[in-house]
């Protein structure tokens, strides 16, 4: 930076002129034509995608509904009456999934972030913390979730320890949190390590402590970067919350199973599937939207 | 607009077809209009220098010429072809122009050599050996042949800048855009880059560059354009614009630089 060029009053004048100009400006004929062309291209792309979607879906639907076994499949999986009659029970079960998801989701984020920070701490004093975090991640990421669920959900209550909850759902949730936080810790750690060292250097140079650097510079960038993969894990969590059905808790899947038991009509499973989609799809769209609005992806610096 | 002074390339070049013309260029970011009605002509072999305060729109103008920004209005032609037309293949246009960014923008995951050979190999489909031969010749020219295997992060700012110049030059572009290429360099290296750019110009390379260094502008420019608040307020030979500016605003800007 050469000494001197201070954007003084003149720059302000430029700004005002810009405002006036913005109000009075209308596009030239060339620009109008260019916009019309871009619009026509956009319309064409939209039309092409609409037509190709309709054709592909139409062909698929035709193939399925004209297959030999379709009438039987339709009756056992897509029976409207059965769907209506099983809906309340499945929805009630889903409420358990939703609560589990929220409680587990928050616990997983907190535990996962803590573990990730523990693993990225430098210096010999932190060795025990790093070791604990590493062992934890290796252990709980390596064990199948189903095994954890059975061990904790059936094993721990059987110990009859005093002052320890014995509810199945509680231990199911603990198993899910243990397993998922190990995965999420690794996602966070990847994010933390992807922040360029020069960012730490700039922050330390401003006098921020190591902790402040982590809190105000590194983590905000890391979290933004890993939001899409985290979303992925949460969609997966919503589905895996159904695994506590193995402990006998009545979640949406278990409720659907109970409904099917009476007449071997599998429509309740389809109802449960549709309800799960109703949860996950809006959440995915919402994060996409927020991320785009905040310019989180690929927001580069100045030129 | 304010300035109607025609571009007058020095060196007595006949006013044949300009390589680049910019007519009525306008660019805004949201409500903020960054460039207003900019007109510019660049003859083949000419070196145009953009000066002006920070935020006056120099980088934005260069980015528009390289189609890195979509313009709001106006027409830019390169070699007679309207490149602002949405029907034009922007990648093809960009492969004919080289740009060196203010912040270098080297690819940190590639070695210096791979940074330079990326476009020849992937865009122009040059064989690896040939691309590396050309790249090494270019790196040698900017004095960095021995750093070919290094990573950009391991280089000094000035070295990164020279790699960026080599990367832009290796495609033999028709037009070279340089955004404050000397701002990170020590005076000795500024001299080196200046020599490099002078050599390039002597070979007939057409260049547009932005700078805050008036000595550099005076040395290398055929035409100097003074940008203020997104308008070209004054343009002409360096002796005129820098030596005897007509606009009070230009005088003010230059006097502040000297003091
Ligand atoms: N992507 C963007 N979004 C919004 N505003 C932008 C963007 N890029 C540039 N601007 C604005 O445009 C104006 C001109 O920016 P530009 O980078 O062209 O200035 P400059 O003349 O190159 O300045 P400097 O000498 O500091 O490099 C500035 O006010 C800047 O804030
Ligand atoms: Mg700039």
């Amino acid at each position: 930076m050469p000494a001197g060029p201070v954007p003084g009053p003149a720059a302000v004048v430029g700004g005002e002129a810009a405002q006036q100009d913005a109000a009075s400006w209308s596009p030239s004929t060339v620009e109008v034509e260019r916009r019309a062309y871009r619009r026509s291209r956009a319309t064409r792309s939209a039309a092409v995608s609409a037509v190709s979607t309709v054709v592909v879906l139409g062909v698929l639907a035709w193939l399925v509904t004209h297959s030999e076994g379709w009438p039987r499949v339709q009756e056992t999986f897509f029976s409207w009456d059965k769907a209506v009659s099983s809906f309340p029970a499945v929805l009630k079960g889903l409420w358990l999934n939703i609560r589990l998801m929220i409680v587990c989701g928050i616990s997983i984020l907190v535990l996962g972030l803590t573990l990730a920070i523990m693993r990225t701490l430098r210096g010999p004093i932190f060795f025990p913390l790093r070791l604990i975090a590493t062992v934890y991640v290796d252990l709980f990421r390596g064990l199948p979730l189903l095994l954890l669920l059975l061990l904790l959900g059936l094993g721990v209550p059987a110990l009859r320890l005093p002052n320890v909850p014995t509810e199945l759902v509680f231990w199911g949730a603990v198993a899910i949190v243990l397993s998922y936080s190990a995965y999420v810790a690794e996602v966070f750690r990847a994010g933390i390590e992807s922040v360029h060292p020069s960012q730490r250097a700039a922050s330390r140079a401003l006098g921020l402590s190591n902790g402040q650097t982590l809190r105000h510079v590194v983590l905000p960038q890391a979290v933004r970067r890993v939001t899409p993969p985290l979303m992925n894990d949460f969609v997966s969590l919503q589905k895996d919350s159904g695994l506590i059905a193995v402990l006998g808790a009545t979640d949406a899947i278990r409720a659907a199973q109970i409904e099917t038991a009476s007449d071997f009509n599998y429509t309740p499973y389809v109802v449960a599937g549709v309800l799960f989609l109703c949860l996950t799809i809006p959440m995915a769209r919402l994060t996409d939207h927020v991320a785009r609005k905040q310019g989180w992806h690929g927001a580069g610096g100045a030129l | 607009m304010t300035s109607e002074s025609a571009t007058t390339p020095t060196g007595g070049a006949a006013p044949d077809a300009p390589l680049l013309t910019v007519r009525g260029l306008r660019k805004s970011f949201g409500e903020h209009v960054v460039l207003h009605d900019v007109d510019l002509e660049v003859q083949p072999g000419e070196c145009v220098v953009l000066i002006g305060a920070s935020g006056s729109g120099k980088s934005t103008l260069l980015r528009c010429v390289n189609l890195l920004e979509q313009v709001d209005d106006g027409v830019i032609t390169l070699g007679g072809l309207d490149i602002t037309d949405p029907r034009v293949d922007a990648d093809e246009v960009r492969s004919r122009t080289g740009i060196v960014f203010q912040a270098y923008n080297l690819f940190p995951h590639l070695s210096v050599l791979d940074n330079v050979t990326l476009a020849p190999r992937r865009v122009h489909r040059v064989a690896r050996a040939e691309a590396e031969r050309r790249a090494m010749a270019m790196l040698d020219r900017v004095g960095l042949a021995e750093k070919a295997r290094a990573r950009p992060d391991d280089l000094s700012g000035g070295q990164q800048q020279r790699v960026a110049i080599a990367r832009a030059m290796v495609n033999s572009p028709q037009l070279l855009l340089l955004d404050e290429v000397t701002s990170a360099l020590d005076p000795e290296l500024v001299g080196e880059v200046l020599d490099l750019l002078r050599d390039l110009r002597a070979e007939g390379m057409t260049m547009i560059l932005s700078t805050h260094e008036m000595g550099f502008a005076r040395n290398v420019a055929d035409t100097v354009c003074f940008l203020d608040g997104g308008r070209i307020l004054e343009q002409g030979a360096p002796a005129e614009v820098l030596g005897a500016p007509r606009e009070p605003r230009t005088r003010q800007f230059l006097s502040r630089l000297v003091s």
Side-chain angles (χ1 to χ4, degrees):
Chain A
M1 259 285 166
V6 188
V12 178
V13 171
E16 277 167 11
Q19 306 279 300
Q20 287 161 14
D21 193 278
S24 63
W25 173 75
S26 63
S28 67
T29 49
V30 185
E31 179 60 25
V32 168
E33 189 270 332
R34 283 201 295 243
R35 284 182 192 176
Y37 176 75
R38 286 199 192 101
R39 218 174 304 122
S40 76
R41 295 300 290 189
T43 315
R44 222 184 73 150
S45 311
V48 168
S49 58
V51 167
S52 64
T53 308
V54 167
V55 166
V56 169
L57 290 185
V59 167
L60 277 179
W62 188 88
L63 280 178
V64 169
T65 54
H66 285 73
S67 64
E68 208 186 317
W70 171 245
R72 242 186 86 70
V73 169
Q74 185 179 26
E75 199 188 315
T76 36
F77 284 90
F78 301 102
S79 145
W80 179 250
D81 293 338
K82 184 73 190 173
V84 172
S85 71
S86 65
F87 185 79
V90 176
L91 192 66
K92 191 154 163 282
L94 192 74
W95 177 230
L96 177 64
N97 291 82
I98 293 174
R99 280 178 301 168
L100 255 184
M101 221 179 68
I102 293 170
V103 173
C104 289
I106 293 168
S107 318
I108 289 164
L109 278 182
V110 172
L111 190 56
L113 189 57
T114 312
L115 285 165
I117 291 170
M118 281 165 70
R119 281 198 85 172
T120 48
L121 288 177
R122 275 163 247 268
I125 2 160
F126 296 121
F127 179 75
L129 286 182
R130 277 202 301 273
L131 184 71
I132 292 170
T134 310
V135 169
Y136 179 100
V137 168
D138 283 352
L139 186 66
F140 290 111
R141 208 170 45 156
L143 287 176
L145 177 55
L146 194 56
L147 186 68
L148 272 177
L149 272 168
L150 292 173
L151 280 179
L152 288 174
L154 303 179
V156 178
L159 292 176
R160 304 204 190 161
L161 295 169
N163 300 325
V164 166
T166 52
E167 286 129 72
L168 291 173
V169 175
F170 174 81
W171 288 104
V174 170
I176 291 175
V177 170
L178 286 178
S179 176
Y180 266 81
S181 57
Y183 282 100
V184 166
E186 287 300 277
V187 173
F188 274 129
R189 188 164 73 106
I192 290 171
E193 285 178 357
S194 75
V195 176
H196 198 271
S198 62
Q199 293 290 307
R200 281 174 194 270
S203 165
R204 295 309 298 277
L206 288 171
L208 276 76
S209 71
N210 223 333
Q212 287 171 321
T213 299
L214 194 64
R215 161 77 185 77
H216 296 287
V217 177
V218 176
L219 285 184
Q221 298 186 49
V223 168
R224 279 156 205 210
R225 230 169 265 182
V226 299
T227 303
L230 279 182
M231 274 312 296
N232 210 22
D233 283 343
F234 277 95
V235 171
S236 173
L237 170 68
Q238 294 183 358
K239 295 179 300 178
D240 282 354
S241 67
L243 279 180
I244 61 157
V246 298
L247 300 178
T250 317
D251 78 322
I253 311 246
R254 179 88 183 111
Q257 195 183 17
I258 294 168
E259 289 292 316
T260 57
S262 55
D263 55 4
F264 294 101
N265 186 315
Y266 296 118
T267 308
Y269 285 130
V270 176
V271 172
V274 170
L275 285 176
F276 271 111
L277 284 181
C278 290
L279 282 185
T280 53
I281 293 179
M283 196 143 117
R285 288 293 83 76
L286 182 74
T287 19
D288 278 359
H289 175 74
V290 171
R292 211 173 306 120
K293 217 167 89 182
Q294 309 249 335
W296 281 5
H297 302 307
L303 185 73
Chain B
M1 284 273 42
T2 329
S3 166
E4 286 303 318
S5 60
T7 319
T8 46
T10 52
D16 50 358
L19 178 67
L20 180 87
T21 66
V22 176
R23 288 268 166 272
L25 176 64
R26 177 196 162 91
K27 173 71 198 168
S28 61
F29 292 106
E31 289 287 283
H32 180 192
V33 185
V34 175
L35 293 174
H36 307 257
D37 219 351
V38 168
D39 288 330
L40 184 66
E41 253 180 38
V42 184
Q43 304 296 330
E46 193 185 359
C47 175
V48 174
V49 170
L50 309 175
I51 60 168
S54 205
S56 55
K58 303 182 294 296
S59 300
T60 307
L61 177 54
L62 293 176
R63 289 175 64 97
C64 286
V65 169
N66 205 28
L67 299 185
L68 290 171
E69 304 285 355
Q70 194 182 76
V71 304
D72 290 3
D73 205 343
V75 172
I76 304 174
T77 68
L78 180 69
L81 175 73
D82 176 3
I83 59 172
T84 40
D85 191 317
R87 273 150 283 223
V88 154
D89 177 0
D91 289 333
E92 195 275 327
V93 171
R94 288 194 203 107
S95 79
R96 288 192 282 135
T97 56
I99 186 162
V100 180
F101 297 96
Q102 202 164 348
Y104 326 134
N105 299 8
L106 295 177
F107 306 122
H109 62 295
L110 297 177
S111 70
V112 163
L113 186 64
D114 290 339
N115 261 279
V116 181
T117 55
L118 182 69
R121 290 185 55 204
R122 303 293 168 210
V123 181
H124 301 278
R125 300 270 160 221
V126 176
R128 186 192 185 110
E130 169 64 11
E132 291 193 348
R133 194 190 58 71
R134 277 195 227 163
M136 285 310 292
M138 223 37 241
L139 285 172
D140 195 36
R141 188 154 180 193
V142 297
L144 285 174
E146 79 279 14
K147 295 285 187 190
R149 300 279 160 208
R151 295 276 159 155
D153 281 346
D154 299 336
L155 301 182
S156 75
Q159 290 170 333
Q160 291 187 40
Q161 185 63 284
R162 284 183 285 158
V163 174
I165 295 177
R167 185 176 69 175
M169 281 303 301
V170 77
N171 285 327
S172 321
Q174 287 180 310
L175 175 66
L176 188 59
L177 309 169
L178 303 138
D179 196 4
E180 284 179 43
V181 284
T182 54
S183 52
L185 308 184
D186 67 49
E188 211 168 322
L189 285 178
V190 171
E192 261 175 45
V193 172
L194 195 80
D195 288 344
L196 178 66
L197 297 185
R198 258 205 230 96
D199 284 356
L200 291 176
R201 210 188 67 184
E203 290 161 22
M205 174 59 65
T206 315
M207 289 182 275
I208 308 179
L209 54 99
S210 79
T211 188
H212 285 299
E213 296 198 33
M214 296 310 131
F216 185 69
R218 195 171 287 119
N219 261 307
V220 78
D222 293 307
T223 306
V224 173
C225 298
F226 174 65
L227 265 84
D228 184 51
R231 293 169 202 277
I232 297 189
L233 217 56
E234 188 161 356
Q235 61 177 303
E240 289 171 28
V241 178
L242 300 176
R246 283 179 288 105
E247 297 287 332
R249 176 72 193 111
T250 319
R251 270 201 291 276
Q252 187 194 5
F253 175 71
L254 291 172
S255 70
R256 277 192 185 161
L257 272 188
V258 173
S259 60

